[in-house]
Amino acid sequence: MKITKVRAVTHEVQNVITGWKISLGSKDNHELIFVRVDTDEKIFGVGVASPGAIYISGDTGVHHLELINNVLGPAIVGVDPFELEAITRKLDSLTRTAERAKAGIDLALHDLMGKALGVPANKLFGGAVHEGVRVNRLMGMFPPREMAEKCKAVVQQGYTALKLKVGTTLKEDVERVQRVREAVGPEVTITIDFNQACFPKEAIQRIQKMEPYDVAIVEQPVKAADLKGMALVRQSVKPRVMADESVNNSVEALRIIETGAADIISLKIPKMGGIFKARKVAAVCEAAGIEYLVGTAPGSRLLDAANVHLAVSLRNLTLPCEIGEFERMAGDPCKGLEIVDGYSRPPAGPGLGIEVDLGKIGLEK
């Protein structure tokens, strides 16, 4: 089997919870790049790349399209799609970063390989060790009372874990957490995510003020490059500290471990370049005995299907994962994945197991 064609198109989805903000900025519309990889045996796979907001990724959808259609895609035509290591090395030789664009190709290849063998994608990398995964739902940075109301509505749908975006003022952040805890009760797991908003001592002060409200995990409290500062936060507060923006690959995961900067690492398929590379980061975590979870980029059931296939394969996974954000997006051209009672299970069909409306996005032929 050989790859004959790689094509990428753009598609926009809309956040139905409008006014969504994080400490870095706000964005209600999200551009997705759908990728189709065809072969000489008439089997094809579909993946999705998530360029993300430019203030997070530093990249654009236009650049993704240019790279996939004119650089990365043509470079793997004629290659066996099962030769993932060789493909990954080839793509890395063409561009040092652009991991989000590479992730779209990686997902299409996993979808293709699963379809070729007639097995779910997780069977390609060891199979499932978990039947399903508890879902951690995100909530944007709204005024405290409004945020509490929105979180209560999410919990009433059956979710038992929330991640709250924070990062304005000490008073407002503490009130956000207090009101959400009062609204959802004591049993819901709460993570807070600063998205790099604080200096170390500022983060410590805020987190300590939140102690009465039982915060379980604090994500990326300081700038991504400030590993010494994040280590200080970790040593000074009760909740576990999770690295997100600080970790994009295995080398950076190793630095986090060596500096003692975090207790947990967030594995994100888009920024790490796909399932293949994300699993390498997971292996570093397992070797070091550090916890991990699967993080998200909002957008599509196709991406979250890949996330849940990855999550159920991780032997040391115990934490809830961010694999339900497709529920707040309108315009997703995909179906075949739903959350039931706060849990996600991998689709049983071959590949990623998702039905994509190829006509809707212009990839039908």
Side-chain angles (χ1 to χ4, degrees), residues 8-11 34-35 46-47 331-334 356-364:
V9 296
T10 185
H11 180 78
F34 282 89
V35 182
V46 181
D332 183 13
C334 303
V356 183
D357 187 341
L358 297 175
K360 185 175 182 178
I361 59 176
L363 282 178
E364 64 273 32

Side-chain angles (χ1 to χ4, degrees), residues 195-241:
N195 286 111
Q196 313 179 66
C198 297
F199 293 106
K201 289 188 177 180
E202 183 183 22
I204 292 166
Q205 183 185 26
R206 294 190 194 190
I207 297 162
Q208 289 177 342
K209 291 283 188 182
M210 295 172 184
E211 282 185 9
Y213 312 115
D214 191 22
V215 172
I217 300 169
V218 175
E219 183 173 341
Q220 201 65 51
V222 300
K223 298 297 183 185
D226 188 7
L227 301 190
K228 185 181 292 186
M230 194 149 72
L232 176 63
V233 175
R234 179 182 175 233
Q235 294 160 9
S236 304
V237 302
K238 290 182 179 179
R240 286 172 288 179
V241 171

Side-chain angles (χ1 to χ4, degrees), residues 183-196:
V184 303
E187 302 302 321
V188 173
T189 302
I190 291 180
T191 296
I192 60 169
D193 184 4
F194 284 100
N195 286 111
Q196 313 179 66

Side-chain angles (χ1 to χ4, degrees), residues 56-192:
I56 294 175
S57 68
D59 210 343
T60 65
V62 170
H63 186 225
H64 276 60
L65 288 173
E66 167 67 21
L67 279 175
I68 296 169
N69 285 328
N70 299 323
V71 180
L72 303 177
I76 62 173
V77 169
V79 177
D80 182 338
F82 284 84
E83 295 178 353
L84 270 184
E85 190 70 71
I87 289 172
T88 299
R89 184 174 64 175
K90 179 64 175 178
L91 298 184
D92 287 346
S93 74
L94 294 172
T95 171
R96 187 174 59 86
T97 54
E99 298 307 308
R100 291 170 180 261
K102 296 173 191 174
I105 295 173
D106 172 278
L107 295 193
L109 291 173
H110 279 90
D111 189 47
L112 191 163
M113 290 186 293
K115 289 174 178 175
L117 297 176
V119 299
N122 65 76
K123 296 286 188 183
L124 301 170
F125 39 85
V129 293
H130 310 283
E131 181 180 341
V133 180
R134 187 158 68 112
V135 176
N136 189 3
R137 284 298 304 275
L138 277 60
M139 183 52 64
M141 195 167 57
F142 294 92
R145 289 181 184 274
E146 182 181 358
M147 197 166 181
E149 292 170 0
K150 291 180 183 296
C151 286
K152 184 176 181 179
V154 170
V155 169
Q156 288 173 340
Q157 296 171 29
Y159 293 96
T160 59
L162 296 168
K163 184 168 89 171
L164 314 179
K165 297 292 187 177
V166 296
T168 52
T169 65
L170 183 151
K171 181 179 183 297
E172 196 169 38
D173 282 346
V174 173
E175 186 182 353
R176 284 188 177 100
V177 176
Q178 176 186 357
R179 290 193 179 277
V180 169
R181 174 57 75 197
E182 291 170 348
V184 303
E187 302 302 321
V188 173
T189 302
I190 291 180
T191 296
I192 60 169

